[in-house]
């Protein structure tokens, strides 16, 4: 056998620098369940390196010992700063860790280990083991509170076994919810330790009395299969992400709908959504969804929240931001990336990336993604089946004017349909902030839907739609539904996507569109199937290949982050 040491690790110690504990990491090369698992990359580093670096943050670096029979593991461990005991003979398949540790105690003594020193075995297959567990085990053994210490996790379940006759029998007294069962602590294998002399005397690392150090289910993960590997990779590559968004009658609902779609796609990360306490419509929207939503009074409180949370990425979907706000965030959270949507404020020039699906890009923007092929829609639009066939006659009309409809364009559309004598089915969708439609006699069958949870199923029934110049244009295009567009306000008139190339017959500012002009447009769309077919085909071409996953992949690539890492 030989020993080799690497350079001292520079980790700041999380314990008393005078600690006398040793960490031994046994790492054989012959894994079967996950071939070569100790050297497989996980979160960008070989699996064993995570254990080495955790140990180095808990005990002195020259007391982190890797025992291995594999030259590649030896090289990786040395480069990570561990001392290596290389065993010339492969580890026998049936050898226990007790046997391996006991066999190497004389070498540890020659390195300086004493009878009273805690010898802690740390598994390389426990990449989420916290350094605090190693410190805790060292402390209880050094102070003589216990003869052994080990990590465990609460693993209570309704379990079954077999009696002496081979019959299936429950191992519980009563069928209750898991949380109501008595605690059942399972060894994690992350840390098991005792003092050197006790291990020699008892020929085992487990000696009563024993201190159990409880870990969370995530901290207790032990890599024994590829599913374990992927679970650990998920937890180790999560980003801290903040989404700042709002909804209000004057702002509309599009921002919170897009933020909901972003949050759904990035839900595996440590994600927080923030809305303004002075715009309660946003909070109402998110209260029904399974995301953490917090309210803030203003920018100062928001920046203070960011300083405490220290996110990797801040996403703004509130229209215009200020340079002062972005600068304040960068000062309080060094290294943070900033992404903003539809931003023409001075903050756009300070952001790392601006996404402008259908507005002009701020002239000072460092980097931008533009066009409706980069749109982010409600998740359901990524999973819809092929659009329904185009019917020769218009049987079903859909009236969509955002979540608030401040210009009451829904009423104008319904009035126009009545004036031209349409007698089919009409569905009007009203959002959380939209006023109720007046109840009047109309020649068609009207269905009014409020707060629709799955818009694709509603849009998919329509032969023709009315829309404002927001994200609904892209939703309609995704399902090939031709539409008549009217802008809610002057800002919407600047949107570049409400055009025939995207399936829209655009009439301009809705409040200034003369009834006769509107009626002519409606009559033409209802009667001219060739026009509807042309608009439909243009719309489907415009959004071919679009998906939230693809768009966010582009965004994160430009930001230098990876939201969907592979092992």
């Amino acid at each position: 056998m030989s020993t080799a040491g690497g350079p001292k690790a520079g980790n700041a110690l999380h314990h008393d620098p005078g600690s006398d504990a040793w960490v031994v990491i046994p790492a054989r090369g012959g894994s079967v369940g996950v071939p070569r698992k100790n050297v497989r990359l996980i979160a960008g580093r070989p699996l064993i390196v995570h254990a080495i670096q955790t140990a180095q943050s808990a005990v002195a670096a020259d007391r982190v010992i890797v025992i291995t029979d594999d030259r590649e593991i030896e090289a990786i461990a040395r480069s990570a700063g561990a001392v290596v005991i290389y065993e010339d003979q492969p580890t026998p398949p049936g050898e226990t860790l007790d046997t391996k540790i006991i066999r190497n105690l004389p070498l540890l003594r020659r390195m300086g280990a004493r009878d009273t020193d805690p010898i802690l075995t740390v598994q390389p297959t426990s990449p989420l083991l916290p350094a605090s567990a190693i410190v805790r085990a060292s402390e209880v053994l050094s102070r003589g509170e216990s003869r052994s210490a080990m990590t465990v996790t609460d693993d209570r379940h309704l379990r079954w076994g077999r009696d002496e006759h081979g019959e299936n029998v429950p191992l519980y007294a009563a069928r209750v919810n898991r949380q109501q069962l008595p605690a059942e602590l399972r060894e994690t294998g992350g840390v098991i330790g005792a003092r050197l002399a006790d291990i020699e005397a008892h020929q085992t690392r487990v000696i009563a009395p024993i201190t159990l150090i409880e870990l969370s289910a995530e901290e207790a993960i032990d890599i024994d299969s590829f599913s374990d590997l992927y679970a650990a990779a998920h937890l180790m590559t999560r980003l801290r992400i903040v989404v700042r968004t709002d909804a209000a009658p004057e702002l509309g609902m599009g921002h919170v709908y897009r933020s909901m779609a972003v949050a759904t796609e990035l839900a595996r990360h440590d994600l927080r959504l923030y809305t303004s306490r002075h715009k309660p419509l946003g909070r109402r929207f998110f209260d029904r969804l399974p995301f953490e939503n917090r309210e803030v009074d203003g920018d100062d409180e928001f920046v203070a929240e960011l300083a405490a949370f220290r996110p990797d990425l801040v996403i703004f979907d509130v229209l215009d931001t200020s340079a002062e706000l972005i600068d304040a965030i960068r000062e309080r959270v060094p290294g943070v990336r900033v992404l903003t949507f539809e931003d023409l404020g001075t903050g756009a020039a300070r952001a790392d990336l601006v996404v402008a699906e259908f507005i002009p890009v701020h002239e000072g923007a460092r980097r931008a993604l533009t066009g409706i092929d980069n749109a982010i829609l409600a998740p359901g639009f990524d999973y819809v089946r092929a659009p329904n066939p185009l019917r020769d006659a218009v049987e079903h009309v859909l009236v969509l004017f955002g979540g608030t409809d401040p210009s009451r364009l829904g009423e104008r559309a319904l009035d126009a349909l009545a004036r031209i004598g349409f007698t089919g089915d009409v569905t009007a969708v009203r959002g959380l902030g939209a006023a109720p439609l007046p109840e009047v006699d109309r020649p068609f069958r009207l269905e009014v839907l409020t707060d629709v949870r799955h818009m694709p199923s509603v849009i998919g029934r329509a032969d023709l739609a009315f829309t404002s110049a927001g994200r609904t244009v892209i939703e309609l295009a995704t399902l090939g539904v031709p539409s008549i567009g009217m802008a809610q306000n002057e800002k919407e008139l600047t949107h570049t996507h409400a055009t025939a190339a995207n399936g829209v017959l655009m009439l301009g500012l809705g409040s200034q569109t003369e009834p006769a002009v509107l009626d002519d447009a409606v009559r033409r769309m209802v009667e001219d199937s060739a026009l509807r077919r042309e608009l439909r085909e243009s719309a489907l071409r415009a959004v071919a290949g679009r998906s939230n996953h693809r768009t966010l992949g582009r965004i994160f690539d430009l930001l230098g982050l990876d939201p969907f890492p592979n092992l």
Side-chain angles (χ1 to χ4, degrees):
M1 297 184 184
S2 61
T3 63
K8 297 291 189 295
N11 305 70
L13 298 180
H14 297 166
H15 67 122
D16 177 359
S19 170
D20 50 4
W22 297 72
V23 170
V24 179
I25 304 173
R28 66 189 183 95
S31 170
V32 176
V34 181
R36 307 295 297 156
K37 70 179 173 184
N38 284 321
V39 299
R40 280 187 176 270
L41 292 182
I42 179 171
R45 289 174 286 174
L47 177 61
I48 191 172
V49 172
H50 295 284
I52 291 170
Q53 293 180 339
T54 298
Q56 289 169 339
S57 68
V59 305
D62 58 1
R63 292 189 173 211
V64 177
I65 314 297
V66 172
I67 303 176
T68 186
D69 57 6
D70 185 276
R71 287 299 187 186
E72 185 177 9
I73 293 175
E74 176 192 18
I76 291 171
R78 283 180 178 178
S79 67
V83 177
V84 178
I85 297 175
Y86 179 75
E87 299 186 316
D88 297 318
Q89 298 300 317
T91 300
E95 182 178 77
T96 67
L97 286 182
D98 275 347
T99 301
K100 181 178 288 291
I101 298 303
I102 292 164
R103 178 158 45 78
N104 282 282
L105 289 181
L107 267 177
L108 293 179
R109 283 190 183 280
R110 290 203 291 272
M111 292 177 186
R114 302 163 299 178
D115 283 349
T116 56
D117 287 353
I119 308 299
L120 306 174
T121 308
V122 169
Q123 295 274 43
T125 52
S126 300
L128 286 138
L129 176 74
S132 59
I134 300 174
V135 173
R136 172 67 177 148
S138 172
E139 290 173 345
V140 299
L141 295 173
S142 294
R143 292 198 293 258
E145 296 175 15
S146 297
R147 303 289 287 278
S148 292
M150 68 171 62
T151 51
V152 297
T153 191
D154 192 343
D155 193 23
R156 66 186 87 182
H157 288 280
L158 294 171
R159 301 184 189 277
W160 287 70
R162 290 190 175 92
D163 62 18
E164 65 274 16
H165 306 295
E167 296 293 329
N168 298 323
V169 294
L171 301 180
Y172 51 85
R175 291 193 65 83
V176 294
N177 291 335
R178 188 179 67 83
Q179 294 81 1
Q180 296 172 289
L181 292 169
E184 185 175 332
L185 301 177
R186 170 179 58 82
E187 293 183 25
T188 72
V191 178
I192 298 179
R195 285 169 291 192
L196 190 153
D198 284 338
I199 296 173
E200 280 186 331
H202 294 84
Q203 294 292 288
T204 179
R205 297 165 298 155
V206 183
I207 309 154
I210 302 168
T211 291
L212 301 181
I213 301 167
E214 191 167 341
L215 304 180
S216 69
E218 290 80 9
E219 294 168 337
I221 285 178
D222 179 43
I223 307 299
D224 193 45
S225 65
F226 278 100
S227 59
D228 297 329
L229 197 65
Y230 277 95
H234 154 65
L235 292 166
M236 297 172 72
T237 57
R238 294 177 79 211
L239 300 171
R240 290 189 179 95
I241 299 176
V242 164
V243 179
R244 175 71 179 87
T245 188
D246 271 321
E250 68 279 5
L251 188 62
M253 298 290 293
H255 304 281
V256 293
Y257 276 110
R258 178 166 47 203
S259 295
M260 180 267 290
V262 169
T264 299
E265 192 69 26
L266 301 178
R268 81 172 195 87
H269 298 286
D270 190 354
L271 185 72
R272 292 181 182 178
L273 295 110
Y274 284 86
T275 54
S276 171
R277 193 168 285 113
H278 307 294
K279 294 183 173 70
L281 193 56
R283 180 58 181 264
R284 281 179 56 200
F285 177 83
F286 285 113
D287 274 347
R288 66 197 182 160
L289 298 172
F291 300 112
E292 180 181 357
N293 177 233
R294 302 184 176 200
E295 288 184 311
V296 288
D297 276 325
D299 290 347
D300 289 345
E301 184 180 353
F302 180 58
V303 172
E305 289 267 337
L306 296 181
F309 185 49
R310 302 190 68 79
D312 301 290
L313 172 64
V314 178
I315 300 172
F316 283 97
D317 199 340
V318 292
L319 288 181
D320 301 342
T321 61
S322 70
E324 293 76 15
L325 172 58
I326 307 303
D327 289 344
I329 291 171
R330 293 195 185 281
E331 182 179 348
R332 298 290 299 277
V333 190
V336 68
R337 271 79 154 191
V338 178
L339 164 69
T340 184
F341 285 93
E342 298 181 32
D343 192 349
L344 291 175
T346 55
R350 299 286 206 274
D352 295 287
L353 179 65
V354 176
V355 178
E357 300 167 3
F358 43 71
I359 68 168
V361 178
H362 188 283
E363 61 182 12
R366 303 178 185 179
R367 194 179 298 152
L369 278 179
T370 62
I372 67 172
D373 57 329
N374 288 308
I376 294 176
L377 305 180
F381 287 96
D382 282 359
Y383 314 124
V384 292
R385 57 182 175 78
N388 290 328
L390 183 71
R391 290 187 283 245
D392 289 335
V394 174
E395 299 176 15
H396 195 141
V397 176
L398 185 59
V399 177
L400 301 167
F401 282 103
T404 57
D405 193 12
S407 299
R408 305 186 74 86
L409 300 183
E411 291 181 41
R412 300 203 68 196
L414 295 176
D415 290 344
L417 286 168
R419 286 194 298 269
I420 71 162
F422 180 72
T423 58
D425 294 320
V426 178
T427 298
V429 175
R430 310 299 285 169
L432 289 175
L437 293 168
E439 295 185 9
V440 297
D441 289 334
R442 298 181 176 97
F444 47 79
R445 293 175 294 278
L446 176 63
E447 172 190 35
V448 179
L449 303 177
T450 59
D451 192 21
V452 173
R453 301 298 179 92
H454 189 253
M455 189 61 76
S457 61
V458 176
I459 290 178
R461 295 181 288 161
D463 302 303
L464 171 66
F466 289 82
T467 179
S468 55
R471 188 157 297 98
T472 308
V473 168
I474 311 171
E475 295 174 348
L476 292 164
T478 300
L479 287 169
V481 177
S483 61
I484 297 170
M486 293 187 286
Q488 289 277 8
N489 48 49
E490 294 285 348
K491 187 175 183 63
E492 279 198 355
L493 283 177
T494 66
H495 293 179
T496 58
H497 70 313
T499 64
N502 296 324
V504 185
L505 179 63
M506 188 63 189
L507 302 183
L509 189 62
S511 61
Q512 295 182 6
T513 301
E514 295 294 333
V517 173
L518 177 57
D519 292 354
D520 286 345
V522 176
R523 186 177 293 106
R524 182 183 174 201
M525 287 286 275
V526 168
E527 296 175 355
D528 191 343
S529 61
L531 173 60
R532 296 199 310 278
R533 184 174 300 279
E534 180 183 346
L535 291 172
R536 168 194 171 90
E537 292 173 353
S538 296
L540 291 173
R541 283 195 301 269
V543 296
R546 188 219 64 84
S547 75
N548 291 350
H549 189 81
R550 181 176 297 181
T551 297
L552 283 165
R554 291 171 182 159
I555 288 171
F556 276 74
D557 184 56
L558 290 171
L559 291 172
L561 298 171
D562 189 354
F564 320 112
N566 296 314
L567 290 176

